[in-house]
Amino acid sequence: MKNEAEIFLNPLALKNVLNRFRVVDYSRGWTVVEEFNRYYVKEFDSYGVLLDYSSDPDVVDSFSSFLRSVDRVRYYLMKPGFFSESLSVIIRNDELTTLPSLQLEWFPGQDLVNSLLRPAGLELRRDEDGYSIIVVKIGRPLSPEELDRALDKLGLGLSLYQKIKEAQEDVALKVAKDFLSHHLK
């Protein structure tokens, strides 16, 4: 099972994507759509979900409920310089993982940060393309409550990543200013 989902933080973005698809069925409270592959689609007031049709039943059921944690994720992904209208995740075994499409850059010290994060079930892992992905430990079978907690933790991972990147930029600027004031007068 693929268990891949795209959470559209802007419902209009989902509607634009769905223009390419045709509706083929309705199942378990979901609309089933097809382009080249089949997907489940469900819209809520503030977001929408496009879920791989071959997903495990516990994953489909968990995404069927409104997830308040999507608002936290939206807050972090709608920031200037970090803007994304959707979040793609995959659920494998006991992990919920972002996909490289967020293009989070690996940063020096990330291994040290992970040594602190891992006991809390969170990790910034380097993927095969050199990007960082956020990995959250989850329990299976997945429940809506467990998925909500995992997405909350993912939002915290995004927040931490953003704070670290900002702090590194501040330190780099300070070091450059000090260097220039001492060596290039």
Coordinates of all heavy atoms in Angstrom, one line a residue, residues 110-159:
Q110 N 22.5 19.2 12.1 CA 21.2 18.5 12.1 C 21.3 17.2 12.8 O 20.4 16.8 13.5 CB 20.7 18.4 10.7 CG 19.3 17.9 10.6 CD 18.7 18.2 9.2 OE1 18.9 19.2 8.6 NE2 17.9 17.2 8.7
D111 N 22.4 16.5 12.7 CA 22.6 15.3 13.5 C 22.5 15.5 15.0 O 21.9 14.7 15.7 CB 23.9 14.6 13.1 CG 23.9 14.0 11.7 OD1 22.8 13.6 11.2 OD2 25.0 14.0 11.1
L112 N 23.1 16.6 15.5 CA 23.0 16.9 16.9 C 21.6 17.2 17.3 O 21.1 16.8 18.4 CB 23.9 18.1 17.2 CG 25.4 17.8 17.1 CD1 26.2 19.1 17.2 CD2 25.9 16.8 18.1
V113 N 20.9 18.0 16.5 CA 19.5 18.3 16.7 C 18.6 17.0 16.8 O 17.8 16.8 17.7 CB 18.9 19.3 15.6 CG1 17.4 19.4 15.7 CG2 19.6 20.6 15.8
N114 N 18.9 16.1 15.9 CA 18.2 14.8 15.8 C 18.4 14.0 17.1 O 17.5 13.3 17.6 CB 18.5 14.0 14.6 CG 17.8 14.5 13.4 OD1 16.7 15.1 13.5 ND2 18.3 14.3 12.2
S115 N 19.6 14.1 17.7 CA 19.8 13.3 18.9 C 18.9 13.8 20.0 O 18.6 13.0 20.9 CB 21.3 13.4 19.3 OG 21.6 14.7 19.7
L116 N 18.5 15.1 20.0 CA 17.5 15.6 21.0 C 16.1 15.3 20.6 O 15.2 15.1 21.4 CB 17.7 17.1 21.1 CG 19.1 17.6 21.6 CD1 19.1 19.1 21.5 CD2 19.3 17.1 23.0
L117 N 15.8 15.3 19.3 CA 14.4 15.1 18.8 C 14.0 13.6 18.8 O 12.8 13.3 19.1 CB 14.3 15.6 17.4 CG 14.5 17.1 17.2 CD1 14.3 17.4 15.7 CD2 13.4 17.9 18.0
R118 N 14.9 12.7 18.5 CA 14.5 11.3 18.4 C 13.7 10.7 19.6 O 12.7 10.0 19.4 CB 15.7 10.4 18.0 CG 16.0 10.3 16.6 CD 17.0 9.3 16.2 NE 17.6 9.7 15.0 CZ 18.8 10.3 14.9 NH1 19.5 10.5 16.0 NH2 19.3 10.7 13.7
P119 N 14.1 11.0 20.8 CA 13.3 10.4 21.9 C 11.9 11.0 22.0 O 11.0 10.3 22.5 CB 14.1 10.9 23.2 CG 15.5 11.1 22.7 CD 15.4 11.6 21.2
A120 N 11.6 12.1 21.3 CA 10.3 12.7 21.3 C 9.5 12.1 20.1 O 8.4 12.6 19.8 CB 10.3 14.2 21.3
G121 N 10.1 11.2 19.3 CA 9.4 10.7 18.1 C 9.4 11.6 16.9 O 8.5 11.5 16.1
L122 N 10.4 12.5 16.8 CA 10.5 13.4 15.7 C 12.0 13.4 15.2 O 12.9 13.2 15.9 CB 10.2 14.8 16.2 CG 10.2 16.0 15.3 CD1 9.1 15.8 14.2 CD2 9.9 17.3 16.0
E123 N 12.1 13.6 13.9 CA 13.4 13.6 13.3 C 13.4 14.4 12.0 O 12.5 14.4 11.2 CB 13.8 12.1 13.0 CG 15.2 11.9 12.4 CD 15.6 10.5 12.2 OE1 14.8 9.6 12.6 OE2 16.7 10.3 11.6
L124 N 14.5 15.1 11.7 CA 14.8 15.7 10.4 C 15.8 14.8 9.7 O 17.0 14.9 10.0 CB 15.4 17.1 10.7 CG 14.5 18.1 11.4 CD1 15.2 19.3 11.8 CD2 13.3 18.5 10.5
R125 N 15.3 14.0 8.8 CA 16.2 13.0 8.2 C 16.6 13.4 6.8 O 15.8 14.0 6.1 CB 15.3 11.7 8.1 CG 16.1 10.5 7.6 CD 15.3 9.2 7.6 NE 14.8 8.9 9.0 CZ 13.8 8.0 9.2 NH1 13.1 7.5 8.2 NH2 13.5 7.7 10.4
R126 N 17.8 13.1 6.4 CA 18.3 13.5 5.1 C 17.9 12.4 4.1 O 18.1 11.2 4.4 CB 19.8 13.5 5.1 CG 20.4 14.1 3.9 CD 21.9 14.2 4.0 NE 22.4 15.2 3.1 CZ 23.6 15.8 3.1 NH1 24.4 15.5 4.1 NH2 23.9 16.7 2.2
D127 N 17.2 12.8 3.0 CA 16.8 11.8 2.0 C 17.9 11.6 1.0 O 18.9 12.2 1.0 CB 15.5 12.2 1.4 CG 15.6 13.3 0.3 OD1 16.6 14.0 0.3 OD2 14.6 13.5 -0.4
E128 N 17.6 10.7 0.0 CA 18.6 10.4 -1.0 C 19.0 11.6 -1.9 O 20.0 11.5 -2.6 CB 18.2 9.2 -1.8 CG 16.9 9.3 -2.6 CD 15.6 9.0 -1.8 OE1 15.7 8.6 -0.6 OE2 14.5 9.2 -2.3
D129 N 18.1 12.6 -2.0 CA 18.4 13.8 -2.8 C 19.2 14.9 -2.0 O 19.4 15.9 -2.6 CB 17.1 14.3 -3.4 CG 16.5 13.4 -4.4 OD1 17.2 12.6 -5.1 OD2 15.2 13.3 -4.4
G130 N 19.4 14.6 -0.8 CA 20.1 15.6 0.0 C 19.2 16.6 0.7 O 19.7 17.5 1.4
Y131 N 17.9 16.5 0.6 CA 16.9 17.3 1.3 C 16.6 16.7 2.6 O 16.8 15.5 2.9 CB 15.6 17.5 0.5 CG 15.8 18.4 -0.7 CD1 15.6 17.8 -2.0 CD2 16.0 19.7 -0.6 CE1 15.8 18.6 -3.1 CE2 16.1 20.5 -1.7 CZ 16.0 19.9 -3.0 OH 16.1 20.7 -4.1
S132 N 16.1 17.6 3.5 CA 15.7 17.1 4.8 C 14.2 16.8 4.7 O 13.4 17.6 4.1 CB 15.9 18.1 5.9 OG 17.3 18.3 6.1
I133 N 13.8 15.7 5.3 CA 12.4 15.4 5.4 C 12.0 15.3 6.9 O 12.9 15.0 7.7 CB 12.0 14.1 4.7 CG1 12.9 12.9 5.1 CG2 12.1 14.3 3.2 CD1 12.5 11.6 4.5
I134 N 10.8 15.6 7.3 CA 10.4 15.5 8.7 C 9.7 14.1 8.9 O 8.8 13.7 8.1 CB 9.5 16.6 9.0 CG1 10.2 18.0 8.9 CG2 8.9 16.4 10.5 CD1 9.3 19.2 9.1
V135 N 10.2 13.4 9.9 CA 9.7 12.1 10.2 C 9.1 12.1 11.6 O 9.8 12.5 12.5 CB 10.8 11.0 10.1 CG1 10.3 9.6 10.4 CG2 11.5 11.0 8.7
V136 N 7.9 11.6 11.7 CA 7.2 11.5 13.0 C 6.8 10.1 13.2 O 6.3 9.4 12.4 CB 5.9 12.4 13.0 CG1 5.2 12.3 14.3 CG2 6.3 13.8 12.7
K137 N 7.2 9.5 14.4 CA 6.8 8.2 14.8 C 5.3 8.2 15.1 O 4.7 9.1 15.7 CB 7.5 7.7 16.0 CG 9.0 7.5 15.8 CD 9.2 6.3 15.0 CE 10.7 6.0 14.8 NZ 10.9 5.0 13.8
I138 N 4.6 7.1 14.6 CA 3.2 7.0 14.8 C 2.9 5.6 15.3 O 3.7 4.7 15.1 CB 2.3 7.3 13.5 CG1 2.8 6.4 12.4 CG2 2.4 8.8 13.2 CD1 1.9 6.5 11.1
G139 N 1.7 5.4 15.8 CA 1.2 4.1 16.2 C 0.3 3.6 15.1 O -0.4 4.3 14.4
R140 N 0.3 2.2 14.9 CA -0.5 1.6 13.9 C -1.3 0.5 14.6 O -0.7 -0.1 15.5 CB 0.2 1.0 12.8 CG 1.0 2.0 11.9 CD 0.1 2.9 11.0 NE -0.7 2.2 10.0 CZ -0.3 2.0 8.8 NH1 0.8 2.3 8.4 NH2 -1.2 1.5 7.9
P141 N -2.6 0.3 14.3 CA -3.3 0.9 13.3 C -3.5 2.4 13.6 O -3.7 2.8 14.8 CB -4.6 0.2 13.2 CG -4.8 -0.5 14.5 CD -3.4 -0.7 15.0
L142 N -3.5 3.2 12.6 CA -3.6 4.7 12.7 C -5.0 5.0 13.1 O -6.0 4.4 12.6 CB -3.2 5.3 11.4 CG -3.0 6.8 11.4 CD1 -1.8 7.2 12.3 CD2 -2.7 7.3 10.0
S143 N -5.2 6.0 13.9 CA -6.5 6.5 14.3 C -6.5 8.0 13.9 O -5.5 8.6 13.8 CB -6.8 6.3 15.8 OG -5.9 7.2 16.5
P144 N -7.7 8.6 13.9 CA -7.8 10.1 13.6 C -7.0 10.9 14.7 O -6.3 11.8 14.4 CB -9.3 10.4 13.6 CG -9.9 9.1 13.2 CD -9.1 8.0 13.8
E145 N -7.1 10.4 16.0 CA -6.5 11.1 17.1 C -4.9 11.0 16.9 O -4.2 12.0 17.1 CB -6.9 10.5 18.4 CG -8.4 10.7 18.7 CD -9.3 9.7 18.0 OE1 -8.8 8.7 17.5 OE2 -10.5 10.0 17.9
E146 N -4.5 9.8 16.6 CA -3.0 9.6 16.4 C -2.5 10.4 15.2 O -1.4 11.0 15.2 CB -2.7 8.1 16.1 CG -1.3 7.8 15.9 CD -0.4 7.9 17.1 OE1 -0.9 8.0 18.2 OE2 0.8 8.0 17.0
L147 N -3.3 10.5 14.1 CA -2.9 11.3 12.9 C -2.9 12.8 13.3 O -1.9 13.5 12.9 CB -3.8 11.0 11.8 CG -3.6 11.8 10.5 CD1 -2.2 11.5 9.9 CD2 -4.6 11.4 9.4
D148 N -3.8 13.2 14.1 CA -3.9 14.6 14.5 C -2.6 14.9 15.3 O -2.0 16.0 15.1 CB -5.2 14.9 15.3 CG -5.7 16.2 15.1 OD1 -5.5 16.9 14.1 OD2 -6.4 16.7 16.0
R149 N -2.3 14.0 16.3 CA -1.1 14.2 17.1 C 0.2 14.3 16.2 O 1.1 15.1 16.4 CB -0.9 13.2 18.2 CG -1.8 13.4 19.4 CD -1.4 12.4 20.5 NE -1.7 11.0 20.2 CZ -2.9 10.4 20.3 NH1 -3.9 11.1 20.8 NH2 -3.0 9.2 20.0
A150 N 0.3 13.4 15.2 CA 1.4 13.3 14.4 C 1.6 14.6 13.5 O 2.7 15.1 13.3 CB 1.3 12.1 13.5
L151 N 0.4 15.1 13.0 CA 0.5 16.3 12.2 C 0.8 17.5 13.1 O 1.5 18.4 12.7 CB -0.8 16.6 11.5 CG -1.1 15.6 10.3 CD1 -2.5 15.8 9.8 CD2 0.0 15.8 9.2
D152 N 0.4 17.5 14.4 CA 0.8 18.6 15.3 C 2.3 18.5 15.5 O 3.0 19.6 15.5 CB 0.1 18.4 16.7 CG -1.1 19.2 16.9 OD1 -1.3 20.2 16.1 OD2 -1.9 18.8 17.7
K153 N 2.9 17.3 15.7 CA 4.3 17.2 15.8 C 5.1 17.6 14.6 O 6.1 18.2 14.6 CB 4.6 15.7 16.2 CG 5.9 15.6 16.9 CD 6.1 14.1 17.4 CE 5.5 14.0 18.8 NZ 5.8 12.7 19.4
L154 N 4.5 17.3 13.4 CA 5.1 17.7 12.2 C 5.1 19.2 12.1 O 6.1 19.8 11.7 CB 4.3 17.1 11.0 CG 4.9 17.2 9.6 CD1 4.5 16.1 8.7 CD2 4.4 18.5 8.9
G155 N 4.1 19.9 12.5 CA 4.0 21.3 12.5 C 5.1 21.9 13.4 O 5.8 22.9 13.1
L156 N 5.4 21.2 14.6 CA 6.4 21.6 15.5 C 7.8 21.4 14.8 O 8.7 22.3 15.0 CB 6.4 20.9 16.8 CG 5.2 21.2 17.7 CD1 5.1 20.2 18.9 CD2 5.2 22.6 18.1
G157 N 7.9 20.4 14.1 CA 9.2 20.1 13.3 C 9.4 21.2 12.3 O 10.6 21.7 12.1
L158 N 8.4 21.6 11.6 CA 8.5 22.7 10.6 C 8.9 24.0 11.4 O 9.8 24.8 10.9 CB 7.2 23.0 9.9 CG 6.8 22.0 8.8 CD1 5.4 22.1 8.4 CD2 7.8 22.1 7.6
S159 N 8.3 24.3 12.5 CA 8.6 25.5 13.3 C 10.1 25.5 13.7 O 10.8 26.5 13.6 CB 7.7 25.6 14.5 OG 8.1 26.7 15.3

